[in-house]
Amino acid sequence: MSAADLPDSIAANIVEWTQTNAEYTDGSAEASWRRDDITWGVFGIAEEALGSPLGDLADLDVVELGCGTAYFSARLAKHGARPVGVDPTPAQLATARRMQALTGIVFPLVEAPAERVPLPDRSFDLAISEYGASLWADPALWIPEAARLLRPGGRLVFLTNSFLVYLCYPDVGLAGETLQRPQFGPSRVAWPDGPGIEYHLAHGHWLRLLRASGFDVEDLIEIQAPPDARTPEYYESVTVDWARRWPAEEIWVARRRT
C-alpha cells in the first residue's frame, strides 16, 4: 500500500492531536504515567471491574495502536508486558519520550498510522487500543493490520464510543436522549468543531469486519459509568447521568483464529 492509498483522515487527525497535545495531553501525561492500575475510558473504570478483558499480561508482546502519549502502554509494562507504542502524531510521541526519560519506563515507540504499521507479521500476543486506532483510524484498514501483527491465537482488545452514544450526539454539544442521526449512514464522521475525522461502526458492521479479518469475537462489554463517576476533565461528551443509564463506551474482545 502506497502513501497515496492511505486515507486523508490520518493527516487530519495528526492536526487534531497536535492541538490536543498542546491543550491537554502533554500537561496531563505525568499523572497518567504515574498510575499503576489499568483503567478504561473517560470514567477511568478499573480493568478488574470490567471482568479483566486484558487478562494476565506477564511476558506478553503487546502493540498499542494509536498510543498517543503511551500512558496505557506504560501501565502494561508495569504489569509485566513488553509493549510497543504506535502513533502517527509526532507531538504525542514527543510527550511519550519525555515521560520515558522522566520515569525510566522505556519501550519502543513507532511513528506510523495504525492503517500501515512498519512491524513484522505475527510479532505480538495482544493488540490494544483505548480511543486510539479504535476511533481515529479507518477500520477497514487497521483491523486487518492488527490481524497481521498478531500471532495465531493472539487477542485484540479495543475501547471506543458505543454506537448508541454516537447516534445520540448532536453536531455540537453533549449526547442527548433522542436520536440525532440515522444508523444507516456513513461510518466516517467529521465534526464541525474540529479538524479530526472519526469512524463509528454499528455492531453488525464490526462483527462482519472482525470475522472477515480472521477474528472470532469473544466479548462485547457495554460500559456503565460507576456510581462515583465524575465528569471527565477534558473529554466531556456525555453527562454522568446519561452514562449511568446507557453505555457511552464499549470494549470489544476478539481472538485471532489459528
Side-chain angles (χ1 to χ4, degrees):
M1 181 187 299
S2 69
D5 297 321
L6 291 172
D8 60 356
S9 56
I10 295 171
N13 290 336
I14 289 173
V15 173
E16 172 89 17
W17 283 98
T18 300
Q19 178 179 329
T20 301
N21 179 268
E23 292 177 351
Y24 179 70
T25 58
D26 184 71
S28 65
E30 183 170 353
S32 296
W33 271 69
R34 294 294 186 189
R35 292 191 64 168
D36 296 334
D37 56 324
I38 296 172
T39 61
W40 289 93
V42 297
F43 298 112
I45 302 175
E47 158 87 354
E48 296 77 13
L50 296 170
S52 299
L54 293 177
D56 185 4
L57 292 162
D59 295 322
L60 293 187
D61 295 311
V62 183
V63 61
E64 183 181 2
L65 299 172
C67 68
T69 62
Y71 67 87
F72 204 98
S73 283
R75 296 177 193 176
L76 300 183
K78 294 178 184 180
H79 288 257
R82 294 182 293 270
V84 175
V86 178
D87 199 274
T89 303
Q92 293 276 76
L93 293 178
T95 296
R97 294 188 185 98
R98 177 173 66 82
M99 292 310 308
Q100 289 191 340
L102 183 65
T103 64
I105 305 169
V106 179
F107 47 85
L109 296 168
V110 178
E111 184 181 323
E115 290 92 338
R116 186 174 63 187
V117 180
L119 295 171
D121 296 0
R122 302 188 175 195
S123 297
F124 298 96
D125 306 299
L126 175 65
I128 66 163
S129 179
E130 189 217 22
Y131 281 135
S134 54
L135 181 60
W136 301 94
D138 185 344
L141 298 176
W142 84 262
I143 291 290
E145 189 72 341
R148 180 187 68 79
L149 293 168
L150 285 170
R151 298 172 179 131
R155 292 179 302 125
L156 170 64
V157 182
F158 64 92
L159 175 143
T160 188
N161 294 128
S162 74
F163 195 64
L164 176 61
V165 78
Y166 160 70
L167 294 178
C168 294
Y169 279 145
D171 283 345
V172 178
L174 304 182
E177 297 184 12
T178 60
L179 298 177
Q180 299 293 311
R181 60 195 69 253
Q183 177 160 335
F184 300 112
S187 60
R188 172 184 156 125
V189 181
W191 302 103
D193 58 349
I197 295 172
E198 300 175 354
Y199 293 87
H200 295 272
L201 272 60
H203 289 170
H205 193 165
W206 275 123
L207 285 167
R208 289 187 292 274
L209 176 58
L210 287 162
R211 288 185 58 81
S213 302
F215 289 103
D216 291 324
V217 175
E218 295 189 337
D219 202 359
L220 170 58
I221 303 168
E222 295 172 302
I223 297 176
Q224 181 183 29
D228 60 349
R230 297 181 179 181
T231 301
E233 179 182 355
Y234 184 84
Y235 303 110
E236 185 179 5
S237 58
V238 298
T239 65
V240 171
D241 180 64
W242 198 105
R244 287 287 300 153
R245 291 185 288 165
W246 300 288
E249 302 171 304
E250 58 193 33
I251 296 175
W252 290 80
V253 181
R255 188 175 296 274
R256 183 75 168 92
R257 288 194 289 270
T258 57

